[in-house]
Amino acid sequence: MTSHYRVNYHLRAHKRDTLIEFVKGMLLTPFVLHSLPAPQDPASRPSSSRSASSTPESVQAANDERFTEIFASIEALIDEHRELALKGTHEFSRLSKLVPGVGPFFTPLPLERAFRHINQRNRISARKHVPPSFNDIRRILNMAQVMAIAPSLELVTFDGDMTLYADGQNFEDDSALTALLVGLLRRRINVAIVTAAGYGSDAPRYEMRLSGLLRGFAAAALSPEEAARFYVLGGECNFLFRCRPDYHLEYLDDAQYASSALRAWTEDQVRALLDVAEAELADCVRRMAINARVLRKPRAVGLVPHEQLTREQLDECALSSQIALLKYQGSPDSQPGNAPIPFCAFNGGNDCWVDIGNKLIGVRILQEMIGSPPGATLHVGDQFLSTGNDIATRSACCTCWIINPQETQSILTELDTFLAAPQP
């Protein structure tokens, strides 16, 4: 397989998720073959077709069962994949052959139960013209993950923009998420925001973005022990803060936690890598005639537009940066997280950034501090495609893929129903 082919494949697939597409394909056959028939004049149909067995209600019940059987079968494939992973032979699983490159599963996924739960409310199987969609399957996977992880949950990490608050905005005082996050902390579950926003060790800058949440902590009168379970990790993995008893953020330097081994790179290496990224972004501005500036920070470089750019333009900048940096590091076949110096080049929705390190390292830093294993850690974010910055966390923990703060609220509300009551 030539390098040119690999690049083209990556560009074609950068807006697809292979597991979700596989599930979608599995559900399409019964939808097409067994969906509810178009209405007909009862008098024009044979008497056999007017029997009780062909009523819309009975056909829908049959569709429920067919979809349920498919989810149960996929659940069994995941169980087999997990069993073989324990033996180090997961690449020989049936799921790996059907979905090449599928990652690890740190918990079972009760897909059959999750489908029944969501179908009871949204009646997916009752639809006649719209088959189960990408978003339907994404939500079912989220529900299954929440159901599975609730009994053992120790750490929940969140992306910031478009996960806890609107893109580029602050955490508002009236956000319904405040009470849900307070509930997690009171259940002795650690909560962290792992964000691309990089303000160095400037705690007040992060406090401004999270002002409504921190005031919510004060209004809820969180104890010092509860407040200390809240962390903020900025610049993907570079700047760590913990909440103090007075509900302000305290910067933790490397000497205060044993995670520096996860970020074993020198300043000279960082500078050289950012030089390449800066040059590539500048080239994107030139060849696409983008009205934007390239902004350099100590651990990041970004393209900040002066006008709204299209998703395609931002994806081009992200993918160009990824390929240029992998080529520079001599690892064209690697994923960015496995390169000699891990980096994250991503479409931020309104801008494009290249960060030193990534959220995989960020989550592992927090897991190491707290002692939370992958099967007890959940990351919630909106950027799980190859041009996003949440996708790397799939190698470190369980994940939920949401698309806006309202979905975060919905999934945390569901999680709340599966968690034990807060301990006194």
Side-chain angles (χ1 to χ4, degrees), residues 388-411:
N389 64 341
D390 291 304
I391 189 170
T393 64
R394 284 181 169 172
S395 298
C397 65
C398 306
T399 59
C400 279
W401 185 349
I402 54 80
I403 60 172
N404 54 42
Q406 291 72 37
E407 279 201 359
T408 302
Q409 178 184 345
S410 176
I411 204 66

PDB file of all heavy atoms in Angstrom, residues 388-411:
ATOM      1  N   GLY A 388     -10.502  15.542  15.308  1.00  0.00           N
ATOM      2  CA  GLY A 388     -10.884  16.048  16.623  1.00  0.00           C
ATOM      3  C   GLY A 388      -9.823  15.747  17.660  1.00  0.00           C
ATOM      4  O   GLY A 388      -8.900  14.966  17.434  1.00  0.00           O
ATOM      5  N   ASN A 389      -9.969  16.345  18.844  1.00  0.00           N
ATOM      6  CA  ASN A 389      -8.960  16.164  19.897  1.00  0.00           C
ATOM      7  C   ASN A 389      -9.440  15.307  21.062  1.00  0.00           C
ATOM      8  O   ASN A 389      -8.736  15.186  22.064  1.00  0.00           O
ATOM      9  CB  ASN A 389      -8.457  17.520  20.412  1.00  0.00           C
ATOM     10  CG  ASN A 389      -9.549  18.337  21.092  1.00  0.00           C
ATOM     11  OD1 ASN A 389     -10.735  18.087  20.906  1.00  0.00           O
ATOM     12  ND2 ASN A 389      -9.145  19.325  21.867  1.00  0.00           N
ATOM     13  N   ASP A 390     -10.635  14.704  20.956  1.00  0.00           N
ATOM     14  CA  ASP A 390     -11.091  13.780  21.997  1.00  0.00           C
ATOM     15  C   ASP A 390     -10.814  12.326  21.627  1.00  0.00           C
ATOM     16  O   ASP A 390     -10.792  11.460  22.496  1.00  0.00           O
ATOM     17  CB  ASP A 390     -12.599  13.953  22.245  1.00  0.00           C
ATOM     18  CG  ASP A 390     -12.950  15.270  22.896  1.00  0.00           C
ATOM     19  OD1 ASP A 390     -12.397  15.562  23.969  1.00  0.00           O
ATOM     20  OD2 ASP A 390     -13.760  16.021  22.336  1.00  0.00           O
ATOM     21  N   ILE A 391     -10.606  12.060  20.365  1.00  0.00           N
ATOM     22  CA  ILE A 391     -10.517  10.677  19.893  1.00  0.00           C
ATOM     23  C   ILE A 391      -9.367   9.915  20.545  1.00  0.00           C
ATOM     24  O   ILE A 391      -9.457   8.707  20.792  1.00  0.00           O
ATOM     25  CB  ILE A 391     -10.406  10.623  18.350  1.00  0.00           C
ATOM     26  CG1 ILE A 391     -10.529   9.189  17.856  1.00  0.00           C
ATOM     27  CG2 ILE A 391      -9.131  11.295  17.863  1.00  0.00           C
ATOM     28  CD1 ILE A 391     -10.679   9.076  16.354  1.00  0.00           C
ATOM     29  N   ALA A 392      -8.262  10.610  20.883  1.00  0.00           N
ATOM     30  CA  ALA A 392      -7.109   9.923  21.475  1.00  0.00           C
ATOM     31  C   ALA A 392      -7.449   9.277  22.807  1.00  0.00           C
ATOM     32  O   ALA A 392      -6.822   8.282  23.199  1.00  0.00           O
ATOM     33  CB  ALA A 392      -5.950  10.903  21.650  1.00  0.00           C
ATOM     34  N   THR A 393      -8.455   9.784  23.524  1.00  0.00           N
ATOM     35  CA  THR A 393      -8.787   9.241  24.847  1.00  0.00           C
ATOM     36  C   THR A 393      -9.325   7.822  24.769  1.00  0.00           C
ATOM     37  O   THR A 393      -9.344   7.112  25.780  1.00  0.00           O
ATOM     38  CB  THR A 393      -9.824  10.131  25.559  1.00  0.00           C
ATOM     39  OG1 THR A 393     -11.057  10.128  24.816  1.00  0.00           O
ATOM     40  CG2 THR A 393      -9.318  11.561  25.696  1.00  0.00           C
ATOM     41  N   ARG A 394      -9.758   7.379  23.587  1.00  0.00           N
ATOM     42  CA  ARG A 394     -10.300   6.021  23.471  1.00  0.00           C
ATOM     43  C   ARG A 394      -9.269   4.953  23.820  1.00  0.00           C
ATOM     44  O   ARG A 394      -9.646   3.832  24.147  1.00  0.00           O
ATOM     45  CB  ARG A 394     -10.806   5.789  22.049  1.00  0.00           C
ATOM     46  CG  ARG A 394     -12.128   6.468  21.745  1.00  0.00           C
ATOM     47  CD  ARG A 394     -12.580   6.179  20.346  1.00  0.00           C
ATOM     48  NE  ARG A 394     -13.958   6.613  20.127  1.00  0.00           N
ATOM     49  CZ  ARG A 394     -14.559   6.621  18.958  1.00  0.00           C
ATOM     50  NH1 ARG A 394     -13.892   6.198  17.881  1.00  0.00           N
ATOM     51  NH2 ARG A 394     -15.804   7.033  18.826  1.00  0.00           N
ATOM     52  N   SER A 395      -7.996   5.294  23.754  1.00  0.00           N
ATOM     53  CA  SER A 395      -6.954   4.332  24.113  1.00  0.00           C
ATOM     54  C   SER A 395      -6.714   4.264  25.612  1.00  0.00           C
ATOM     55  O   SER A 395      -5.984   3.384  26.069  1.00  0.00           O
ATOM     56  CB  SER A 395      -5.634   4.702  23.414  1.00  0.00           C
ATOM     57  OG  SER A 395      -5.779   4.647  22.016  1.00  0.00           O
ATOM     58  N   ALA A 396      -7.312   5.184  26.369  1.00  0.00           N
ATOM     59  CA  ALA A 396      -7.037   5.262  27.808  1.00  0.00           C
ATOM     60  C   ALA A 396      -8.242   4.987  28.676  1.00  0.00           C
ATOM     61  O   ALA A 396      -8.082   4.652  29.857  1.00  0.00           O
ATOM     62  CB  ALA A 396      -6.473   6.647  28.165  1.00  0.00           C
ATOM     63  N   CYS A 397      -9.455   5.124  28.142  1.00  0.00           N
ATOM     64  CA  CYS A 397     -10.628   5.041  29.015  1.00  0.00           C
ATOM     65  C   CYS A 397     -11.886   4.827  28.192  1.00  0.00           C
ATOM     66  O   CYS A 397     -11.852   4.820  26.953  1.00  0.00           O
ATOM     67  CB  CYS A 397     -10.759   6.314  29.851  1.00  0.00           C
ATOM     68  SG  CYS A 397     -11.084   7.800  28.878  1.00  0.00           S
ATOM     69  N   CYS A 398     -12.999   4.696  28.878  1.00  0.00           N
ATOM     70  CA  CYS A 398     -14.308   4.627  28.235  1.00  0.00           C
ATOM     71  C   CYS A 398     -14.710   6.038  27.794  1.00  0.00           C
ATOM     72  O   CYS A 398     -14.250   7.028  28.365  1.00  0.00           O
ATOM     73  CB  CYS A 398     -15.341   4.067  29.199  1.00  0.00           C
ATOM     74  SG  CYS A 398     -14.889   2.473  29.930  1.00  0.00           S
ATOM     75  N   THR A 399     -15.579   6.122  26.799  1.00  0.00           N
ATOM     76  CA  THR A 399     -15.933   7.429  26.263  1.00  0.00           C
ATOM     77  C   THR A 399     -17.426   7.524  25.964  1.00  0.00           C
ATOM     78  O   THR A 399     -18.088   6.521  25.718  1.00  0.00           O
ATOM     79  CB  THR A 399     -15.173   7.738  24.958  1.00  0.00           C
ATOM     80  OG1 THR A 399     -15.474   6.731  23.988  1.00  0.00           O
ATOM     81  CG2 THR A 399     -13.668   7.786  25.192  1.00  0.00           C
ATOM     82  N   CYS A 400     -17.928   8.759  25.982  1.00  0.00           N
ATOM     83  CA  CYS A 400     -19.269   9.087  25.500  1.00  0.00           C
ATOM     84  C   CYS A 400     -19.140  10.229  24.500  1.00  0.00           C
ATOM     85  O   CYS A 400     -18.541  11.259  24.801  1.00  0.00           O
ATOM     86  CB  CYS A 400     -20.193   9.518  26.650  1.00  0.00           C
ATOM     87  SG  CYS A 400     -20.899   8.162  27.584  1.00  0.00           S
ATOM     88  N   TRP A 401     -19.712  10.039  23.336  1.00  0.00           N
ATOM     89  CA  TRP A 401     -19.608  11.001  22.239  1.00  0.00           C
ATOM     90  C   TRP A 401     -20.893  11.823  22.191  1.00  0.00           C
ATOM     91  O   TRP A 401     -21.938  11.342  21.777  1.00  0.00           O
ATOM     92  CB  TRP A 401     -19.396  10.246  20.938  1.00  0.00           C
ATOM     93  CG  TRP A 401     -19.151  11.088  19.732  1.00  0.00           C
ATOM     94  CD1 TRP A 401     -19.292  12.434  19.595  1.00  0.00           C
ATOM     95  CD2 TRP A 401     -18.718  10.605  18.451  1.00  0.00           C
ATOM     96  NE1 TRP A 401     -18.978  12.831  18.328  1.00  0.00           N
ATOM     97  CE2 TRP A 401     -18.610  11.731  17.594  1.00  0.00           C
ATOM     98  CE3 TRP A 401     -18.408   9.335  17.948  1.00  0.00           C
ATOM     99  CZ2 TRP A 401     -18.217  11.611  16.271  1.00  0.00           C
ATOM    100  CZ3 TRP A 401     -18.011   9.232  16.633  1.00  0.00           C
ATOM    101  CH2 TRP A 401     -17.918  10.349  15.797  1.00  0.00           C
ATOM    102  N   ILE A 402     -20.793  13.082  22.622  1.00  0.00           N
ATOM    103  CA  ILE A 402     -21.949  13.974  22.599  1.00  0.00           C
ATOM    104  C   ILE A 402     -21.707  15.044  21.534  1.00  0.00           C
ATOM    105  O   ILE A 402     -20.611  15.135  20.963  1.00  0.00           O
ATOM    106  CB  ILE A 402     -22.227  14.598  23.986  1.00  0.00           C
ATOM    107  CG1 ILE A 402     -20.991  15.310  24.552  1.00  0.00           C
ATOM    108  CG2 ILE A 402     -22.649  13.512  24.973  1.00  0.00           C
ATOM    109  CD1 ILE A 402     -20.728  16.667  24.025  1.00  0.00           C
ATOM    110  N   ILE A 403     -22.730  15.868  21.240  1.00  0.00           N
ATOM    111  CA  ILE A 403     -22.555  16.900  20.226  1.00  0.00           C
ATOM    112  C   ILE A 403     -22.831  18.307  20.750  1.00  0.00           C
ATOM    113  O   ILE A 403     -22.560  19.278  20.050  1.00  0.00           O
ATOM    114  CB  ILE A 403     -23.437  16.632  18.989  1.00  0.00           C
ATOM    115  CG1 ILE A 403     -24.922  16.597  19.372  1.00  0.00           C
ATOM    116  CG2 ILE A 403     -23.027  15.332  18.308  1.00  0.00           C
ATOM    117  CD1 ILE A 403     -25.853  16.535  18.171  1.00  0.00           C
ATOM    118  N   ASN A 404     -23.334  18.431  21.976  1.00  0.00           N
ATOM    119  CA  ASN A 404     -23.594  19.751  22.546  1.00  0.00           C
ATOM    120  C   ASN A 404     -23.819  19.613  24.053  1.00  0.00           C
ATOM    121  O   ASN A 404     -23.983  18.498  24.572  1.00  0.00           O
ATOM    122  CB  ASN A 404     -24.803  20.422  21.865  1.00  0.00           C
ATOM    123  CG  ASN A 404     -26.044  19.550  21.894  1.00  0.00           C
ATOM    124  OD1 ASN A 404     -26.369  18.920  22.895  1.00  0.00           O
ATOM    125  ND2 ASN A 404     -26.760  19.507  20.779  1.00  0.00           N
ATOM    126  N   PRO A 405     -23.827  20.736  24.789  1.00  0.00           N
ATOM    127  CA  PRO A 405     -24.018  20.654  26.246  1.00  0.00           C
ATOM    128  C   PRO A 405     -25.357  20.040  26.648  1.00  0.00           C
ATOM    129  O   PRO A 405     -25.458  19.444  27.728  1.00  0.00           O
ATOM    130  CB  PRO A 405     -23.923  22.122  26.689  1.00  0.00           C
ATOM    131  CG  PRO A 405     -23.069  22.785  25.643  1.00  0.00           C
ATOM    132  CD  PRO A 405     -23.453  22.103  24.363  1.00  0.00           C
ATOM    133  N   GLN A 406     -26.379  20.176  25.796  1.00  0.00           N
ATOM    134  CA  GLN A 406     -27.669  19.570  26.124  1.00  0.00           C
ATOM    135  C   GLN A 406     -27.565  18.048  26.166  1.00  0.00           C
ATOM    136  O   GLN A 406     -28.170  17.387  27.023  1.00  0.00           O
ATOM    137  CB  GLN A 406     -28.729  20.002  25.098  1.00  0.00           C
ATOM    138  CG  GLN A 406     -29.107  21.476  25.172  1.00  0.00           C
ATOM    139  CD  GLN A 406     -28.021  22.418  24.665  1.00  0.00           C
ATOM    140  OE1 GLN A 406     -27.324  22.095  23.690  1.00  0.00           O
ATOM    141  NE2 GLN A 406     -27.860  23.557  25.321  1.00  0.00           N
ATOM    142  N   GLU A 407     -26.792  17.467  25.247  1.00  0.00           N
ATOM    143  CA  GLU A 407     -26.593  16.015  25.291  1.00  0.00           C
ATOM    144  C   GLU A 407     -25.753  15.609  26.494  1.00  0.00           C
ATOM    145  O   GLU A 407     -25.968  14.536  27.059  1.00  0.00           O
ATOM    146  CB  GLU A 407     -25.934  15.526  24.003  1.00  0.00           C
ATOM    147  CG  GLU A 407     -26.900  15.339  22.861  1.00  0.00           C
ATOM    148  CD  GLU A 407     -26.370  14.397  21.794  1.00  0.00           C
ATOM    149  OE1 GLU A 407     -25.240  13.880  21.913  1.00  0.00           O
ATOM    150  OE2 GLU A 407     -27.109  14.159  20.840  1.00  0.00           O
ATOM    151  N   THR A 408     -24.789  16.445  26.881  1.00  0.00           N
ATOM    152  CA  THR A 408     -24.034  16.160  28.105  1.00  0.00           C
ATOM    153  C   THR A 408     -24.972  16.108  29.295  1.00  0.00           C
ATOM    154  O   THR A 408     -24.887  15.204  30.144  1.00  0.00           O
ATOM    155  CB  THR A 408     -22.957  17.231  28.337  1.00  0.00           C
ATOM    156  OG1 THR A 408     -22.078  17.277  27.212  1.00  0.00           O
ATOM    157  CG2 THR A 408     -22.143  16.927  29.589  1.00  0.00           C
ATOM    158  N   GLN A 409     -25.872  17.072  29.377  1.00  0.00           N
ATOM    159  CA  GLN A 409     -26.855  17.078  30.468  1.00  0.00           C
ATOM    160  C   GLN A 409     -27.705  15.817  30.439  1.00  0.00           C
ATOM    161  O   GLN A 409     -27.956  15.192  31.485  1.00  0.00           O
ATOM    162  CB  GLN A 409     -27.753  18.314  30.349  1.00  0.00           C
ATOM    163  CG  GLN A 409     -28.842  18.386  31.416  1.00  0.00           C
ATOM    164  CD  GLN A 409     -29.782  19.571  31.205  1.00  0.00           C
ATOM    165  OE1 GLN A 409     -29.480  20.498  30.439  1.00  0.00           O
ATOM    166  NE2 GLN A 409     -30.921  19.542  31.864  1.00  0.00           N
ATOM    167  N   SER A 410     -28.125  15.405  29.246  1.00  0.00           N
ATOM    168  CA  SER A 410     -28.964  14.212  29.123  1.00  0.00           C
ATOM    169  C   SER A 410     -28.219  12.964  29.582  1.00  0.00           C
ATOM    170  O   SER A 410     -28.768  12.144  30.335  1.00  0.00           O
ATOM    171  CB  SER A 410     -29.426  14.062  27.676  1.00  0.00           C
ATOM    172  OG  SER A 410     -30.160  12.873  27.503  1.00  0.00           O
ATOM    173  N   ILE A 411     -26.963  12.810  29.157  1.00  0.00           N
ATOM    174  CA  ILE A 411     -26.234  11.591  29.500  1.00  0.00           C
ATOM    175  C   ILE A 411     -25.885  11.569  30.982  1.00  0.00           C
ATOM    176  O   ILE A 411     -25.880  10.520  31.625  1.00  0.00           O
ATOM    177  CB  ILE A 411     -24.986  11.420  28.605  1.00  0.00           C
ATOM    178  CG1 ILE A 411     -24.583   9.943  28.528  1.00  0.00           C
ATOM    179  CG2 ILE A 411     -23.821  12.260  29.078  1.00  0.00           C
ATOM    180  CD1 ILE A 411     -25.575   9.068  27.836  1.00  0.00           C
TER     181      ILE A 411
END
